[in-house]
Amino acid sequence: MLERSKEAALVVMYSAPEYHWTVEPLMQLLSQLHRIKVLKLGSFSIDVDRILDCLSSQPAPLLQIFKYRILGSYDPIFSIRPLSNTIFQGCAPLLRSVELVECAFILTSYIFSGLRTLTLKQIEAFPRPTLSQLLSALKRMPDLELLTLELSSRIPENTELFDQVPLTRLRSIALGVCTIRTAVSLFSHLVLPGDASIALCLEEIESPQSFSDIFSAIYKGPDGSFPIIRSLGASFSHDAFSVQLSASLAFKSEYSWNNRNGDIRLSINFRYASNPAIIFDICQMMPHRKIQSLSVSTSLDLSQNFWRAGSPTFRSSKVSI
């Protein structure tokens, strides 16, 4: 079939079978890398070296979308070789979207400079990137619009001398389970548009002051302005606790952590939080408060103490449940 379609651009989607067998069929497909425009791969760690060798053996002049997922649980016997600057022989001029899942990476090659979408999910795989390595990669992606990072909750830090990284076209950034310290360290080095949508999943809460640190790290434009927030939405259940800050007076959709609704400025999902009243601490730490409505969705029986804690903040606001 490959011979009969020599002129056609290829879309290749391959996921290794549940019981590891052979990657020979994939190797045959990857020999046509120069014709592939969409490449989505899933393999076990034992095959990573061979696949990366093949991906580094020739250029990918037509490639636009590249996704690679390492399947199965992490096996320390196999050290996962990082996807590095040799990929595609440094030539993938049309590459616009990259997603890597449990795949170690070094993304400092200029073949990634045209990316519009980047998704990195690496919880178990080694080696893990340091914050400096991550910032070095992002610095080479000035046109990035959508960024999703789900990395180890504690990214190794060594960024004292690192310059700020402007991402002036970014529309949405989602940062998966992380500590407040990691979030502050990352955002303190990023320069984002004032209307970017930001989603955070926080592993722990140290104190109400932590929210002030996050706001200061995120919103540090030349005028130090904080976006106008007109409404706050909160969702509580026995195993989930989330808050969204919106520029509009009402929420237009059901809650979604990584909501790309243009009105949602900041979404925060708390992994471990026992006191719903923390939403009022968040409001108190905002540089200026013009919240006109509060929307609460809950399956819990909120106590009078909850509403008493919020009454000073939302005294003149519309409250709906």
Side-chain angles (χ1 to χ4, degrees):
M1 181 176 291
L2 291 177
E3 290 298 320
R4 292 200 301 267
S5 58
K6 287 184 177 180
E7 303 302 322
L10 302 178
V11 174
V12 174
M13 293 181 286
Y14 171 87
S15 183
E18 183 177 355
Y19 298 100
H20 183 263
W21 189 19
T22 176
V23 292
E24 291 307 323
L26 176 60
M27 294 298 105
Q28 182 181 4
L29 288 170
L30 294 184
S31 69
Q32 303 295 312
L33 185 59
H34 60 285
R35 297 170 51 195
I36 297 176
K37 68 175 182 179
V38 176
L39 180 57
K40 301 179 181 181
L41 303 177
S43 77
F44 293 99
S45 55
I46 191 173
D47 295 317
V48 169
D49 282 359
R50 189 173 179 191
I51 290 173
L52 291 184
D53 284 341
C54 191
L55 293 177
S56 301
S57 66
Q58 57 182 305
L62 301 183
L63 190 64
Q64 301 174 28
I65 298 173
F66 175 56
K67 297 184 179 183
Y68 190 13
R69 176 187 296 268
I70 305 299
L71 305 173
S73 58
Y74 172 69
D75 188 343
I77 295 177
F78 299 103
S79 177
I80 297 179
R81 168 181 160 191
L83 184 150
S84 68
N85 296 338
T86 62
I87 193 86
F88 312 131
Q89 289 191 342
C91 180
L94 301 182
L95 189 59
R96 296 295 179 266
S97 178
V98 168
E99 179 178 324
L100 303 176
V101 180
E102 295 303 339
C103 180
F105 55 84
I106 301 173
L107 302 179
T108 53
S109 170
Y110 281 98
I111 68 168
F112 302 108
S113 62
L115 289 188
R116 304 293 191 271
T117 301
L118 176 64
T119 299
L120 301 175
K121 300 180 181 181
Q122 185 190 19
I123 306 301
E124 296 184 334
F126 285 88
R128 291 173 176 165
T130 66
L131 199 51
S132 287
Q133 289 172 333
L134 181 58
L135 292 169
S136 294
L138 294 177
K139 193 171 186 178
R140 289 166 170 78
M141 304 174 188
D143 296 328
L144 205 60
E145 297 177 1
L146 304 176
L147 174 60
T148 301
L149 301 174
E150 296 184 28
L151 306 175
S152 171
S153 60
R154 290 173 172 81
I155 303 175
E157 299 178 34
N158 54 343
T159 60
E160 292 83 355
L161 301 179
F162 206 94
D163 295 333
Q164 291 190 337
V165 178
L167 297 175
T168 58
R169 298 188 178 184
L170 199 72
R171 295 189 286 113
S172 172
I173 176 172
L175 185 58
V177 178
C178 67
T179 63
I180 286 182
R181 177 176 176 178
T182 296
V184 170
S185 296
L186 175 62
F187 282 106
S188 65
H189 290 88
L190 300 180
V191 181
L192 307 177
D195 59 352
S197 295
I198 298 169
L200 305 176
C201 183
L202 298 179
E203 185 178 58
E204 59 188 27
I205 302 170
E206 298 172 1
S207 69
Q209 178 61 36
S210 301
F211 297 111
S212 178
D213 295 339
I214 286 180
F215 293 148
S216 297
I218 294 175
Y219 303 109
K220 55 182 181 305
D223 56 357
S225 62
F226 189 90
I228 298 297
I229 301 299
R230 293 185 173 87
S231 61
L232 184 148
S235 175
F236 307 121
S237 66
H238 291 288
D239 58 358
F241 176 14
S242 309
V243 175
Q244 288 187 326
L245 306 178
S246 175
S248 69
L249 289 176
F251 288 90
K252 300 177 181 179
S253 62
E254 295 297 324
Y255 176 80
S256 172
W257 169 63
N258 188 11
N259 192 323
R260 290 170 182 166
N261 178 338
D263 292 329
I264 303 297
R265 294 292 180 257
L266 179 62
S267 299
I268 305 177
N269 185 68
F270 299 95
R271 198 176 188 191
Y272 305 111
S274 57
N275 182 10
I278 197 170
I279 67 172
F280 306 126
D281 293 329
I282 294 175
C283 294
Q284 292 294 329
M285 292 299 164
M286 290 168 57
H288 54 73
R289 298 183 293 277
K290 296 184 179 180
I291 297 177
Q292 300 175 45
S293 69
L294 167 65
S295 175
V296 176
S297 172
T298 181
S299 60
L300 306 179
D301 183 14
L302 298 175
S303 68
Q304 288 297 320
N305 289 335
F306 171 82
W307 297 111
R308 192 175 297 115
S311 59
T313 304
F314 295 99
R315 183 173 292 127
S316 60
S317 302
K318 178 182 178 182
V319 178
S320 60
I321 302 177

